[in-house]
Structures are given as structure tokens and as C-alpha cells.
Amino acid sequence: MSKNLSRRGFLKSAAATTAMLYVGVNPDGAAAAGSNDAMLNPFVKIDSDGNVIAIIKHFEKGQGPATGLSTLIAEELGVTMDQIGFEFAPSNPKLYNNLFFGPFQGTGGSTAMANSWTQYRTAGANAREMLIKAAASSWGVDDATLDIQEGIITDGVKTAPLGDFVVAATQIAPSEAPRLRDASEWKIIGKEATRRLDSLIKVNGEAKFGMDVHLPNQMVVMIKRTPQRGGLVVSFDDSGAKEVKGFIMAKSLPTQHGVVVYAENTWAAMQARAALKVEWDMSEAEARSSSEIREELMDALGANPVYNVNKVDQKTVASKIDTAATVVERTFYFPLLAHAPMEPLNCTIEQTSGGDIVLHDGAQMPTGPHMAYQQIFQLPQEKIHIKTMLTGGSFGRRATPDADYQVEAGLAFVMTDRSRPVKLVWDREDDIRGGYYRPATGHKVRVGLDADGNIAAWEHQVAGQSIMKGTAFESFSVHDGVDHSTVEGLADNPYVIPNMAIGLTDTEKATSVLWWRSVGHTHTAYVMEVMMDMAAKAVGRDPVAFRLAYLEGGDKDARRKADVLKLAAEKGNWGSPADGNVQGIAVHKSFGSFVAEVVEISGTPADGIQIEKVTAAVDCGIAVNPDVVRAQIEGAIGYGIGHAMRDQITLDGGAVEQSNFPDYEPLRISDIKAIETHIVASAEPPTGIGEPGTPPSAPALANAIAQLDIWVAELPMSDRGISFV
């Protein structure tokens, strides 16, 4: 987010005795220099040995910011990727806030590169200029004749490693607007040869994830949680747990939402927890079944919507559809879904000898637990520290409005004498049964087409469980009663569709709901793209040509969406599948990026469908790291298709029926034979890439299956009589 950078200064902060140069953005708008204590928002630090470290303000859950943001600094500074390392920023929202989230420090919404693009490039450029000025002064030459390449400062004659001038550079005032390298100068940004910085350490075992934290003398805690969300502990019997070797003690959480088991190791904690007997008060707990939740959604779709999302006269639209030559209509249902990252939730908490609290965590949104810990421990902000670890996936689960698992750990720790660190561990059953879920949602759509086969009107009603309402993020996403996260990708779709009316009704939240990879786009893209195919088929039009008719003549977003659609169709051999195969296509804009996908399948629903190939085209602006972009598209496709194929969270009397991967099955590598990704060359600033590949994946598969005369309007597909080989 660059619009505020013109009024932000840059800070150089280090004393010569420390021989360390820090460069970053000063949020109060003034250029400043001073001691380490005055340092504000540094993004790059360099020591006198020439070691360059990028300070990463977005946590790394596999999506690549540690590499991407380091790339920006390396490019502007003039070092190679082999000459730069990275560290995660400390928790401090005043210094490391996400520019799209206001006063919050956090990672989400595929914003890491989009909001840091100018910020990190400018920091790298400022470091380059300060070092060059120091060298120019020492050599008695014009600084305009110098540059830094591969860590060496040179004027073409003299050369020296940049570390030689770090001390002198600390005495030079930073520039308000350093020169950014032109794209023609780039040697790393956008280059295919650039590889991830964290791959080697993940392969050789050096990488430290949250689950790897093992502090001296730590206790492991696991929590016996209520089988129905909202249940409370009445009493518990730990006599059986006391027979388990390694069991230490058990205590009810102060909130009464569970019983904490303390043990010497994870196995003892598991065994002791299993031996606990707990009496629960379920009077306020979730008691509905999945069928009741679905019925509530369908009832809401059968009534007039509460909110007129786009302020279009709904009666006029309905009238146009009623008199249309052809009407296509369908009702859709999307179940609850778990995030199910490979690394279950965990974090470790300790107290220093000075009384500070330190949380070791894969912290997706550190501001949440930081604020919660100020209340739990009654300490000021500066006495609480969050050490961000690598994380084995998240998909949104590690960022909740109530910092749920971090609060559990904090409460478990505060109930002890704090002499021993506490490590909270969730197992897979905790993750599947006790988590936060993608909301259940329903859509009811009617599309009227005129005698020439053109869309005359589109009536679209959504009923869903609001993620944002009632949380600290309500003001961020809810306007005029409409939670935008429920209708995103629908209300702001680049299609130019005449007489489109969008209505919304909120229904009661089921258990707990949360953003899930691509949030509302997970269901809005599915409905929009399946309905576009249904409408095209109803009037005998090619699905690609039909879509293009509602993109051509539109704004820049419409043109970019049309371009990826054309590219995917070209590269996916649209209309010419292999003998016996069929194809489906879908295209969608989310998080500022545009993705189109062609899915080619073989087989039949009865005998088993095989996904032969997915061809994707993506426009995410400047692709800083093409290798990372492709990896994210591949992962997003697998995530979206895998859940649509088989997965759902169902409730029986309020209790989650699924428990582990045998009944909540992740995508298998054999499910998709091949994925091919094509990146649109672009000069636009980078946009999101962690999520945009997910929304079009499931509807592209559904549209391929529709070529076999089965329209899938309710997920998962496996419950609709479709099998997969």
C-alpha cells in the first residue's frame, strides 16, 4: 500500500559502536536518526561483516513472504539471494502493522506482498544509498558514479564489500525518497531462477516450527474440551489421570471451557487427558444438527432478503426474469469446512527472570494474543514478547478474533507458579472437532435470458453465517449491515451483468465460524461460475465466449479477467480435450488477482472420475517470485478441489462427527495428475497469490462434470453420487 509512503520518513538507527545499520519506515512521518532505542519499523539490518538480514513482518506458513520480501530488499540493495537472510519481526503493531489492516500486525487476505511492495523496496534502496554515500565520501568521488552489485560497492575502478562502510553509513541522514531501481535493472525480481530461501532449512531439518519448540523444564499441556461448542465444565475426576506416568496435574480453565492437563511430555498428556472424566453443562451449547442448519439456510433463501447488497430494485429484476425467454435457476448449499493444516495448533509460553512473558508461536496475527496477554498477565505491552516461528500451514486458522489457542496457553500458564514453561499441543482430533469452520452458506439464483441468448436479469440471494459480525473486525468488513466477507466475489465481480440484484440474509452461526482460504470467494465463485456455464448451455453458447461477452467493454479489472480466461483456454486446449475426456472452465478475481482454470477429466461419476490436468492462468501483477507463484497456485488448486470432492464438517446434536483424516480426507497426490500454471507478464503492482487459485478450482471441476449431465449444486461432490479414482 504505497499511498501513505510519501508522508513517511526513513530511519537510520545504530551507534557506530554496534556497527549495525537499520533502515525502515518511520510511521509518524518524520525522518529520524538515533540510537537503537529510537529505532522505528526496521526492515533491513546490516552488520560490519556485510551480513544482510531482512526483517519479515508477515509470518511464514508456506506461502513465501520470507522469500518474497527478502527478494525486494536484495534487489534494491544490490545483493544476491545467497547474501541475504531473514528474521521475523517482533510483535509491535505500531511499527509492523499490516497497512491494509489499520493498527493490527498480521498476515492474511493474501496481502503480504501487496502491502509491502513499496515499503520493502524503499528500505532496501535507502540502505543502498546510505552505504554508497559513505563510500563516496571515503573515496572522494561523486556518489552518482557508484552502485552496489552482488554485495560489492564499486565505481568501476575501486571496489569494496558493503560491510566496510556500515559504520560510516550510520552517520548519514537517510533520504525521504531514495531512487528505486527501474524494472530494466532487476536481476532477481520476476526471475525464474530465484528460489525460496527457506527450502534448504526445511529439507535438512534446521527449520524450527512451533511444534519444534522445546524449552528446558517445560510442561506439555493438552485440553479436554467440550464435545459441543459452548459447553462448560461442572466438575472433573482426575483419579484415572493420576495413574499415568508423567502426569502432573489437571485444572479447569478459568472460563470453564475445558480442563487443562499438565504433563512431562506429549504422550503422557494425551493418555492423562483420555483418562479424565468430566461432567459438562450443555445448557448453552450448540445443539443443532447439520440438517437443521441447512434447513435454516434454505428457509432464509425462501424469504425476502434482509439486506439489499447492491441497492438494485429487486422487484424490477424479478419481473424481468419472469418475462424472460429462458430462465435458469438453481439453489446451492455449502457445508462447514475445517482448515486442517498439516501442523496442528500449538504454542509455548515462558516467563523470563525479569518477569516478561514470551510466547513462541506461529503467530498469524500477533496483535491479538499480545493484547490478550496484557489483560491475562496485567502487564504493559513492552513486557510481552512474541517470537514468531515457522508454521506448517494455517489457511486462516491461526488468526481468530479471540486469539483462542493462545489465550488457552496463557490461561494454562497463569494457573501455574510460572517456574516452568508451558507448551500447548492440539492433536488432529482437537483440530477437526474443536476448531473454527468455514461458514455454511446457501445461494438461490435465477437468471433470465432474452430471445437472443443474452442475460436480461440476474437475481442472486445469499444466506450465510457472518464471520465478522460480533467480532473486533466488524467495523472492518460490515457496512450497512452487510458483511462483505459473505458476498465478496459476487458484489464486486468484474462481469458486466445487466439488472443484477443481490440480497443477503444472516443466519445463526453454527458452532464457531472463521475465514478459510479465500473466505467468501470459496462459495461465491462456485455459484457465479457454475451459473455462467448453466446459462451458456441453456442458450447453446460456448462457455468461454459467453463469459467474454460480459467482460469485453468493461473496466480494467474486466479486461484483466478476460485476458486470463483467454490464456487459460489457449494453454488448456479448450474445446479439444483428449479422446474420451471432457473439460470445464472457471475464472475469478480475488484479493486483487485474476485466475482462470481449465479442468480436464476422464471417467464417469459411477466408475470414478480422474482429474487428468488443471491448466491455470494467473495475473497477480508483477510476479516477484514466479516459482513461489506457481507453488501457491498448485497448492490452492489442490486445496479447493480436494475439499469440494469429499469434505464437510457435520454436526449431530451440536457435536462434530468427523475426527481425523480418515473421515476428513485431504487431497491425495494421485487425485490430480498434472497442474500447469501460466503467469501473465504484468507491470501492475503485485497482488495476492496465497488464495486466488482456490476459488475457480472447484467450479471448473464442477463444470467439467456437468459435461456428463450432472450439475453439482451441493457439496461435497462425493455426497452427490460422484466417485473419484
Side-chain angles (χ1 to χ4, degrees):
M1 184 176 181
S2 60
K3 65 181 181 181
N4 291 328
L5 291 178
S6 61
R7 57 183 174 83
R8 294 172 183 265
F10 288 86
L11 174 67
K12 165 268 300 178
S13 176
T17 54
T18 63
M20 185 77 75
L21 174 65
Y22 292 87
V23 183
V25 173
N26 180 347
D28 66 10
S35 69
N36 285 338
D37 292 336
M39 183 177 61
L40 298 176
N41 204 13
F43 298 121
V44 55
K45 64 180 182 181
I46 311 170
D47 67 20
S48 57
D49 291 329
N51 296 310
V52 181
I53 300 294
I55 308 301
I56 307 301
K57 72 175 187 176
H58 298 282
F59 100 131
E60 178 66 73
K61 53 186 172 179
Q63 82 281 28
T67 298
L69 300 183
S70 297
T71 299
L72 303 183
I73 288 174
E75 186 72 83
E76 292 294 344
L77 178 58
V79 299
T80 69
M81 293 299 283
D82 292 333
Q83 295 173 321
I84 191 169
F86 68 88
E87 296 175 0
F88 292 117
S91 172
N92 191 329
K94 292 182 180 179
L95 308 181
Y96 293 103
N97 67 306
N98 185 312
L99 301 180
F100 295 159
F101 292 176
F104 289 87
Q105 180 179 351
T107 306
S110 298
T111 59
M113 188 59 69
N115 92 79
S116 304
W117 166 246
T118 302
Q119 204 174 42
Y120 274 71
R121 288 183 67 199
T122 306
N126 221 335
R128 181 187 76 242
E129 289 194 357
M130 293 162 71
L131 289 162
I132 283 175
K133 287 178 181 179
S137 176
S138 174
W139 293 346
V141 300
D142 184 353
D143 59 17
T145 66
L146 302 182
D147 195 8
I148 303 177
Q149 295 292 339
E150 298 185 2
I152 301 297
I153 302 178
T154 181
D155 64 355
V157 179
K158 290 185 177 181
T159 63
L162 60 82
D164 287 0
F165 297 99
V166 167
V167 173
T170 63
Q171 307 307 308
I172 295 174
S175 169
E176 293 288 343
R179 185 189 76 85
L180 301 182
R181 294 188 190 273
D182 186 78
S184 63
E185 302 175 66
W186 292 347
K187 297 182 177 181
I188 309 174
I189 293 175
K191 306 306 180 184
E192 295 287 348
T194 303
R195 293 293 180 260
R196 291 184 66 124
L197 286 179
D198 55 349
S199 293
L200 179 61
I201 60 173
K202 290 177 178 178
V203 171
N204 67 18
E206 291 180 22
K208 298 300 179 185
F209 292 79
M211 196 66 86
D212 295 326
V213 174
H214 188 88
L215 302 179
N217 200 35
Q218 74 178 18
M219 294 184 286
V220 174
V221 304
M222 299 189 80
I223 298 175
K224 184 93 167 183
R225 298 177 181 83
T226 170
Q228 296 162 239
R229 194 75 174 179
L232 300 173
V233 176
V234 175
S235 63
F236 69 90
D237 176 3
D238 63 355
S239 57
K242 291 177 180 177
E243 301 297 318
V244 175
K245 182 180 179 180
F247 171 73
I248 299 172
M249 61 182 173
K251 293 185 176 184
S252 292
L253 283 168
T255 59
Q256 300 301 115
H257 287 123
V259 179
V260 184
V261 172
Y262 301 78
E264 297 292 347
N265 54 64
T266 304
W267 180 246
M270 287 180 173
Q271 297 301 301
R273 184 178 65 167
L276 277 182
K277 296 180 180 178
V278 182
E279 179 185 353
W280 301 98
D281 174 5
M282 297 295 189
S283 59
E284 300 298 324
E286 174 67 78
R288 291 173 294 169
S289 66
S290 294
S291 60
E292 291 173 301
I293 291 169
R294 183 187 183 284
E295 185 177 346
E296 290 175 10
L297 288 166
M298 294 302 112
D299 286 346
L301 293 175
N304 291 328
V306 173
Y307 303 108
N308 185 333
V309 175
N310 60 341
K311 312 302 182 186
V312 171
D313 185 79
Q314 294 171 330
K315 290 184 178 179
T316 299
V317 170
S319 176
K320 288 181 178 294
I321 294 173
D322 290 340
T323 57
T326 304
V327 177
V328 179
E329 55 187 318
R330 189 71 51 153
T331 299
F332 297 80
Y333 175 72
F334 302 87
L336 296 167
L337 290 174
H339 300 77
M342 288 296 105
E343 182 185 9
L345 295 175
N346 63 85
C347 61
T348 304
I349 186 170
E350 63 176 324
Q351 183 170 292
T352 69
S353 59
D356 290 17
I357 297 297
V358 180
L359 175 68
H360 305 259
D361 180 34
Q364 184 169 351
M365 194 167 289
T367 300
H370 207 144
M371 294 172 63
Y373 280 16
Q374 289 176 246
Q375 298 178 48
I376 292 172
F377 295 100
Q378 292 296 291
L379 290 172
Q381 175 182 333
E382 61 271 15
K383 298 285 285 182
I384 295 165
H385 314 277
I386 297 179
K387 183 177 180 181
T388 297
M389 312 297 296
L390 290 168
T391 302
S394 171
F395 314 115
R397 179 60 184 89
R398 284 182 173 267
T400 60
D402 54 2
D404 66 308
Y405 72 95
Q406 297 106 330
V407 167
E408 285 183 345
L411 294 176
F413 186 63
V414 82
M415 291 192 294
T416 71
D417 64 7
R418 307 189 199 180
S419 63
R420 300 182 65 179
V422 161
K423 180 176 183 177
L424 171 71
V425 175
W426 284 45
D427 62 17
R428 183 59 59 194
E429 285 73 17
D430 292 330
D431 172 62
I432 298 296
R433 288 181 168 166
Y436 289 59
Y437 306 111
R438 196 279 302 268
T441 310
H443 290 242
K444 183 179 180 181
V445 187
R446 291 201 309 152
V447 178
L449 299 114
D450 63 23
D452 295 324
N454 300 314
I455 296 175
W458 185 300
E459 185 180 52
H460 200 131
Q461 187 171 348
V462 184
Q465 302 159 338
S466 170
I467 295 171
M468 301 294 190
K469 287 186 177 180
T471 75
F473 296 94
E474 184 165 348
S475 62
F476 179 77
S477 182
V478 179
H479 303 287
D480 296 328
V482 176
D483 183 344
H484 183 70
S485 71
T486 306
V487 295
E488 61 184 355
L490 173 61
D492 52 1
N493 199 295
Y495 284 128
V496 183
I497 297 176
N499 303 305
M500 187 175 191
I502 304 169
L504 170 67
T505 300
D506 295 322
T507 59
E508 183 182 348
K509 297 182 182 183
T511 183
S512 51
V513 296
L514 186 65
W515 36 73
W516 187 91
R517 191 173 191 171
S518 75
V519 202
H521 297 280
T522 62
H523 51 88
T524 59
Y526 190 97
V527 176
M528 283 295 301
E529 290 304 290
V530 169
M531 288 303 300
M532 289 297 279
D533 255 42
M534 292 185 72
K537 185 173 183 178
V539 294
R541 300 272 297 279
D542 172 72
V544 172
F546 188 78
R547 286 172 169 82
L548 289 174
Y550 300 97
L551 292 171
E552 293 172 351
D555 59 13
K556 182 169 58 170
D557 280 2
R559 293 193 296 274
R560 293 176 72 182
K561 186 173 180 179
D563 286 345
V564 295
L565 178 61
K566 293 173 184 176
L567 182 60
E570 174 194 345
K571 298 298 185 180
N573 296 316
W574 176 253
S576 302
D579 290 345
N581 294 354
V582 293
Q583 297 172 316
I585 198 166
V587 59
H588 192 71
K589 176 198 173 187
S590 63
F591 308 99
S593 295
F594 305 80
V595 180
E597 296 169 17
V598 174
V599 172
E600 184 166 330
I601 63 174
S602 62
T604 65
D607 297 330
I609 285 173
Q610 173 67 62
I611 301 172
E612 297 290 341
K613 186 178 182 181
V614 180
T615 303
V618 55
D619 177 354
C620 58
I622 295 168
V624 174
N625 300 120
D627 185 57
V628 172
V629 170
R630 290 191 178 89
Q632 285 304 293
I633 290 294
E634 290 173 7
I637 287 171
Y639 196 76
I641 283 180
H643 281 84
M645 287 165 64
R646 305 185 183 96
D647 290 332
Q648 63 181 323
I649 290 294
T650 57
L651 305 180
D652 182 7
V656 175
E657 295 183 291
Q658 291 71 31
S659 64
N660 210 311
F661 288 145
D663 52 12
Y664 195 86
E665 186 177 353
L667 184 88
R668 305 288 183 176
I669 196 168
S670 59
D671 284 331
I672 303 176
K673 285 187 176 180
I675 298 176
E676 185 178 284
T677 300
H678 300 271
I679 302 172
V680 173
S682 175
E684 296 288 336
T687 45
I689 198 58
E691 296 168 276
T694 293
S697 60
L701 173 59
N703 288 337
I705 293 172
Q707 302 305 307
L708 305 175
D709 295 323
I710 298 179
W711 291 101
V712 184
E714 297 195 25
L715 298 178
M717 295 174 175
S718 58
D719 274 15
R720 309 276 85 82
I722 298 170
S723 62
F724 297 90
V725 296

